[in-house]
Amino acid sequence: MPHIPDQMSGMVLTGHGGLDCLEWREDLSVPQPEPGQVLIRVGAAAINNTDINTRTGWYSKSVRGDTAAAASEGYGGQTDADGAWSGALQFPRIQGADCCGVIVAVGGGVADSRIGERVLVRSMQVPKSAHAGLPLVTFGSEYDGGFAEYAVTYSEDALAVSSRLSDVELASFPCAYSTAEGMIQRCSLKAERVLITGASGGVGSAAIQLAKRRGAHVTAITSPEKAEELKGIGADETLGRNDALPEQSFDVVLDLVGGPKFPLLIDALKGGGRYAVAGAIAGPIVELDLRTLYLKDLSFFGCTKQDPRVFEDLVGYIERGEISPVVAKTFALKDMRKAQEAFLSKRYAGKIGLVVEEA
C-alpha cells in the first residue's frame, strides 16, 4: 500500500472574485474515500474556462457581459447567490475539472485491485446521492477537484487509461475534449462542413481533432497568428475573427463564443443546419431572428450534460492514438495565478497544464 499522509498541499478558492481568491495551502486534510469512491494521487491538472468562470461567478444570471470583463477582479460579491454551474457554491472549494493520477486507496465496495491504476477523472458527472436534486455535477465545482495533491471521486468516474503520454498531457483531455465530443455527439456530426468558433482554445482545438476523426471538413475561426498551428492539428481552413462568414455554407456550427456575432453564425448555416453551443466567452446575451430559425429549419443544441459514453469513448480515442494533446505551456500547481494570467492572455493555442509536484 502506498504511504498516504494526513495533510496535503493544494490551491483553494475562498470565494467568488479575483485572482486574490486563490489561496495556496499546505495544511489541507487529505480526503478519505467514502463507499463507492477512490482516492487519487494527482499527477497533473489543467486550466479551463469553467475554472475561471466559476471563480468570478460568471454563471450568475446577473452577468450579461463576456467572460474576460471581470476575469482578474471578479464582480465584487454580486454573484454569490448563483455564481456556479448549479447555483450557489460552497467555499472553500478545491477546483480543477481536469485530473490525471493514480488510485492509492479505495472506499467500501470498490475492489482493492483498482489501487495502482492510472486514471482520468470524468469532469461532468451524473449526480450521486450526495448531490441528489442538482441538475448536474462537475468535478472541482460541486465537490473538490484536482487542484491538490490528492482528490476523491466516484469509482465509476475514474476511468483507467493505458497510454505513454505524460500526466500533464493526459490531464489536458477530460474537460475540454469531453465538452467538444459531447457537442459533436449531440448534433450527430458526420463527414460534413463544420465551423468552429474559439478554435484556438482548449475546447475549440479539441473540436478540430474530434471533428476530423469523423471525416468532417473543418473551418476554424481564430487569430491570424494561430492559423498555421490549427491547420497543423487538422483544420482544413481558417477564418479571422473579423472576417466575413460565407452564408449558407456549413452543415454544423460548434460555437464557444456567442456574443454580438451570433446572428452571423446562424446566417452561415445551410438550410436544415445544426447549431451546438457550449460556451459564450464573448457574451451570453444574443439576438435571434426567429424567422431565420424556422424558415431555414435549423436545429439548436445546448450542450452541457453528457451521456456517460462520451467520456468512455474519449478514453478509447486516447488509447488508440486517434487524438493528440495540445499543451501550450505548463506551470507548477502552486503557480496557479500565473497560469490563469497566461490563460487569460489568449496568447496560447490549446491547454495550460498544471504539474502537481511531490511533497
Side-chain angles (χ1 to χ4, degrees), residues 17-282:
L19 290 166
D20 58 335
C21 289
L22 295 171
E23 180 181 319
W24 179 250
R25 296 272 302 276
E26 298 182 350
D27 60 349
L28 299 170
S29 296
V30 172
Q32 301 298 309
E34 296 181 0
Q37 293 184 330
V38 296
L39 176 67
I40 297 167
R41 175 63 171 92
V42 181
I47 293 178
N48 294 280
N49 270 310
T50 188
D51 301 315
I52 294 168
N53 294 344
T54 298
R55 169 172 60 76
T56 64
W58 180 83
Y59 295 110
S60 170
K61 291 292 188 182
S62 66
V63 177
R64 301 176 69 84
D66 61 62
T67 57
S72 296
E73 302 301 327
Y75 296 96
Q78 300 176 26
T79 63
D80 290 355
D82 61 344
W85 285 101
S86 298
L89 198 67
Q90 294 183 352
F91 299 107
R93 171 66 71 230
I94 298 171
Q95 292 183 279
D98 284 328
C99 177
C100 175
V102 175
I103 294 176
V104 293
V106 298
V110 180
D112 288 342
S113 60
R114 295 219 64 188
I115 295 174
E117 285 185 1
R118 193 184 192 202
V119 296
L120 288 176
V121 177
R122 190 193 320 265
S123 302
M124 189 66 64
Q125 302 178 358
V126 174
K128 313 298 191 296
S129 58
H131 301 99
L134 290 181
L136 53 93
V137 169
T138 304
F139 184 63
S141 178
E142 282 60 56
Y143 71 101
D144 288 344
F147 289 169
E149 291 182 291
Y150 292 87
V152 293
T153 193
Y154 296 92
S155 180
E156 66 192 74
D157 294 317
L159 275 67
V161 60
S162 176
S163 173
R164 295 182 179 179
L165 295 173
S166 68
D167 285 352
V168 74
E169 288 173 323
L170 286 172
S172 71
F173 287 117
C175 185
Y177 282 71
S178 64
T179 298
E181 179 68 7
M183 297 173 78
I184 286 169
Q185 291 194 16
R186 283 288 303 281
C187 69
S188 302
L189 178 66
K190 301 182 286 294
E192 302 170 286
R193 295 186 65 88
V194 59
L195 178 67
I196 300 173
T197 69
S200 65
V203 180
S205 58
I208 291 172
Q209 292 193 57
L210 291 164
K212 287 302 296 182
R213 72 168 296 279
R214 289 172 180 256
H217 181 282
V218 175
T219 300
I221 298 179
T222 188
S223 58
E225 60 269 19
K226 297 174 183 173
E228 290 306 312
E229 190 169 356
L230 296 192
K231 288 179 181 178
I233 63 172
D236 295 287
E237 56 187 358
T238 63
L239 292 170
R241 295 190 180 107
N242 296 317
D243 290 350
L245 298 181
E247 295 187 9
Q248 307 253 10
S249 296
F250 300 99
D251 301 288
V252 172
V253 169
L254 302 179
D255 187 21
L256 306 161
V257 175
K261 294 184 179 179
F262 170 83
L264 302 178
L265 299 176
I266 304 308
D267 289 341
L269 281 167
K270 297 177 182 178
R274 290 105 71 201
Y275 169 87
V277 60
I281 61 175

Side-chain angles (χ1 to χ4, degrees), residues 326-343:
V326 183
V327 180
K329 195 171 179 63
T330 301
F331 291 82
L333 178 62
K334 64 182 177 182
D335 293 327
M336 173 74 70
R337 293 189 189 184
K338 292 180 181 178
Q340 289 201 7
E341 288 170 346
F343 182 95

Side-chain angles (χ1 to χ4, degrees), residues 303-318:
C303 304
T304 298
K305 292 183 180 180
Q306 298 167 9
D307 188 284
R309 65 166 284 193
V310 168
F311 199 69
E312 294 158 12
D313 288 346
L314 181 63
V315 171
Y317 304 159
I318 295 167

